[in-house]
Amino acid sequence: MKMRKLLMIPGPTPVARSIQDQMGRETVAFGDSAFVKDFKELLEDLKGLFKCSGETFVVAGTGTMGMEMSIANTTKRGDNVLIVSHGFFGDRFIDLCNRKGLNVDVLSSEWGETVPVEKISEKLSRKKYAAITVTHVDTSTGVSAPVDEIGKMMRSFPETIYIVDGVCATAGEPEYVDDMGIDILFTGSQKAFGVTPGLTMLWASQKALERRKSFRDIPEYYIDFEKWLPIMKEPSKYYATPAVNLIWALKESVRIIKEEGIENRYARHKKFAAAMQAALETLGFKVLAREGCRAATLSNLVYPEGTADAKFRELLAEEGIVVAGGLAAYAGRMFRLGHMGNIDKHDLISVIATIERALYRAGMPVELGKGIGVVQKHLVE
Ligand code: PMP
């Protein structure tokens, strides 16, 4: 009999049946009145849920396109940009900005740590920066950045656009665009929204929209705010073909989020993360991110001494869950476990039980049931 495989990598995440069903619907014209109504409602919901009085863009693409879109619309060749990096995805902005001919300064932390906010503020006071980028949750480290605290500090630097990469956070970690002083927030559909990959969602403040308007044409065509703004205001218009079924799928995901309540969703993510991290520490793994800056959406777990990465993940897959390997210096030393989106208590128990079986089969010392006990205690609290 074929064993079910739980997809527990940090994106794509498990896609709920009702979301998958939207992908299977008969595709209609993008000008279809029912579809246009759905798209409009989705955009309004996205603005409301993430408290954005500016504009929301939903465009076919991935998280990387969100990175590119935010930089393309707020900076021009020769501008200074400050990149705050807590790992691999923070660093991705370096290459992206260098290619655009920007002057890049980088503040990096050790993997598992965050850059202190005072250090960022100090850097910003020394030079005029067109934009700053912060990765809310860096998927390579499982570190969550203090985006709210940084936003408060950013009020002293009104000429700088505050860009937050929410790819591994949005809809799993609290984010309020206006209240947190964020100018651009973006994410991809495949993470905490629990939709298949393929959509970029981007929220832009009035300030970010004005920055774009202050330029004439920008070199980029597909990702130009000015090209998409008329469509986001009136989705019956055409600029480039919208991903009809993905938009329906996202709408269903937003319906699920509203039904759960976004605050409840954030609380659930926090609770699930605490349960998983405690159980995995009991089983001998070390959570890479320092306590106090651990993400609610995924955990990056350093292996106990003597664990063979490839073999362990192969056994895990055989036992029924798929996780991701470590990146860069942590390749072979760590695995990454997503626990975001539309997952429930059943999934948590299955994951820990599967990890226990894989450890046992790998010949590692493990007391079967010990991790499950820890999860159970967290879940009944
Ligand atoms: N930023 C972060 C924090 C990410 O985790 C990822 C993807 N793992 C990206 C950006 C890039 O997104 P995508 O792979 O969808 O292009």
Side-chain angles (χ1 to χ4, degrees), residues 16 36 127 194 237 241 333 339 345 347 350 366:
V36 170
K127 214 193 253 184
K237 289 187 181 158
T241 311
R333 293 170 55 200
H339 34 73
K345 295 175 188 175
D347 298 317
S350 289
V366 58

Side-chain angles (χ1 to χ4, degrees), residues 68-69 71-78 99-102 212 215-225 227 239:
E68 199 138 34
M69 196 165 175
I71 293 293
N73 285 280
T74 58
T75 63
K76 57 182 189 321
R77 185 168 280 275
R99 285 172 183 227
K100 202 181 145 64
L102 298 165
R212 166 62 194 96
F215 308 143
R216 287 165 64 94
D217 277 347
I218 59 169
E220 296 81 2
Y221 193 77
Y222 179 66
I223 54 176
D224 186 354
F225 282 178
K227 295 279 190 192
Y239 172 51

Side-chain angles (χ1 to χ4, degrees), residues 10-11 61-65 67 89-90 92 135-140 165-169 186 188 190-191 197 336:
T62 73
T64 307
M65 195 183 83
M67 300 173 79
F89 289 101
R92 181 170 280 199
T135 310
H136 192 167
V137 171
D138 201 303
T139 322
S140 62
D165 173 344
V167 175
C168 199
F186 62 86
Q190 77 275 22
K191 303 259 183 180
R336 295 178 300 139

Side-chain angles (χ1 to χ4, degrees), residues 71-72 74-82 96-105 127-131 211 215 219-220:
I71 293 293
T74 58
T75 63
K76 57 182 189 321
R77 185 168 280 275
D79 278 348
N80 298 324
V81 173
L82 180 61
L96 195 151
C97 291
N98 277 331
R99 285 172 183 227
K100 202 181 145 64
L102 298 165
N103 299 320
V104 176
D105 285 338
K127 214 193 253 184
K128 192 174 162 209
Y129 287 95
R211 171 68 65 82
F215 308 143
E220 296 81 2

Side-chain angles (χ1 to χ4, degrees), residues 100-367:
K100 202 181 145 64
L102 298 165
N103 299 320
V104 176
D105 285 338
V106 185
L107 280 174
S108 303
S109 63
E110 292 264 310
W111 278 34
E113 292 288 332
T114 52
V115 175
V117 179
E118 312 80 66
K119 248 181 133 171
I120 306 174
S121 155
E122 200 182 292
K123 195 92 181 161
L124 289 167
S125 355
R126 280 201 234 121
K127 214 193 253 184
K128 192 174 162 209
Y129 287 95
I132 174 178
T133 70
V134 176
T135 310
H136 192 167
V137 171
D138 201 303
T139 322
S140 62
T141 58
V143 160
S144 179
V147 287
D148 192 14
E149 203 189 326
I150 297 173
K152 286 198 179 83
M153 176 275 292
M154 288 302 298
R155 294 203 176 107
S156 312
F157 304 95
E159 71 284 3
T160 307
I161 296 288
Y162 178 27
I163 298 170
V164 175
D165 173 344
V167 175
C168 199
T170 309
E173 300 247 359
E175 285 169 340
Y176 311 101
V177 175
D178 290 347
D179 301 354
M180 291 182 171
I182 297 171
D183 291 308
I184 296 190
L185 170 71
F186 62 86
T187 193
S189 49
Q190 77 275 22
K191 303 259 183 180
F193 278 88
V195 175
T196 51
L199 283 181
T200 306
M201 292 86 90
L202 186 147
W203 294 258
S205 71
Q206 288 300 341
K207 189 168 116 188
L209 297 171
E210 278 158 27
R211 171 68 65 82
R212 166 62 194 96
K213 279 204 170 69
S214 73
F215 308 143
R216 287 165 64 94
D217 277 347
I218 59 169
E220 296 81 2
Y221 193 77
Y222 179 66
I223 54 176
D224 186 354
F225 282 178
E226 288 293 298
K227 295 279 190 192
W228 284 111
L229 272 171
I231 284 71
M232 297 306 140
K233 290 196 188 327
E234 182 41 64
S236 62
K237 289 187 181 158
Y238 169 77
Y239 172 51
T241 311
V244 173
N245 290 70
L246 272 166
I247 286 167
W248 274 332
L250 181 63
K251 188 169 165 58
E252 172 59 10
S253 151
V254 167
R255 190 200 60 75
I256 292 170
I257 293 172
K258 282 167 61 182
E259 188 177 75
E260 181 177 15
I262 191 122
E263 297 297 333
N264 295 335
R265 190 174 181 89
Y266 295 144
R268 168 171 64 81
H269 276 76
K270 206 169 156 192
K271 184 175 180 135
F272 280 13
M276 295 307 263
Q277 287 160 5
L280 289 156
E281 277 176 336
T282 302
L283 293 176
F285 298 95
K286 183 180 166 292
V287 179
L288 178 65
R290 172 178 52 80
E291 237 181 304
C293 63
R294 289 183 182 169
T297 48
L298 89 160
S299 300
N300 290 12
L301 300 141
V302 180
Y303 289 121
E305 207 47 50
T307 318
D309 171 52
K311 184 73 197 157
F312 177 70
R313 285 191 291 127
E314 189 189 311
L315 289 171
L316 267 182
E318 273 178 30
E319 289 296 323
I321 67 164
V322 183
V323 298
L327 294 171
Y330 280 92
R333 293 170 55 200
M334 172 176 97
F335 77 96
R336 295 178 300 139
L337 176 75
H339 34 73
M340 69 186 117
N342 298 318
I343 58 163
D344 61 21
K345 295 175 188 175
H346 295 294
D347 298 317
L348 302 194
I349 296 293
S350 289
V351 166
I352 296 299
T354 307
I355 289 174
E356 288 185 352
R357 291 197 301 277
L359 283 172
Y360 180 83
R361 282 186 58 193
M364 303 295 290
V366 58
E367 185 186 323

